[in-house]
Amino acid sequence: MSMTQELLRARTSLETNLRELLGVPVFLIEMDAFALPCGCGGVTINTRGLQLDDLEIFEEHILKYLTDAVTSLEIEPTFLFARLIPGTAEVASINSRMLCNSCYMDFGRGSGKQPRPDIYIMRFDRKE
């Protein structure tokens, strides 16, 4: 199966699971794999119809669905987070990132679910 077919399958499955869980028309309008110059890699899933309240209330379920989707793409789900549209509770994207050492140090300094007003962290596995 090609990379785009794998992305499409994972996106469709995640969107279906979120719609069934939340009972609202959540749209995952784009799912992109990325590799950054710093060494980070992962996926970004642009969303419409997903709210911060949905993440807070159904986090355990959403985390499972997101973890299943990214592991099917062979991406380690060590850092899972949502980006919020500034000044709103609207989720712009959900993301899974395999952090490089530099970015790990940047995010590792923060604490809590929202170290910045535009990010909601669902999972951050700290190195030992």
Side-chain angles (χ1 to χ4, degrees), residues 9 16-17 20 35 47 51 68 87-88 98-99 108 115 119 127:
R9 184 195 51 72
T16 300
N17 286 332
E20 289 175 2
T47 66
Q51 300 290 314
D68 290 348
T88 73
M98 297 180 294
L99 294 169
I119 290 183
K127 296 177 183 178

Side-chain angles (χ1 to χ4, degrees), residues 101-119:
N101 288 335
S102 177
C103 291
Y104 175 84
M105 295 303 290
D106 287 343
F107 282 104
R109 288 187 200 119
S111 63
K113 292 284 195 181
Q114 287 193 267
R116 297 186 341 212
D118 65 327
I119 290 183

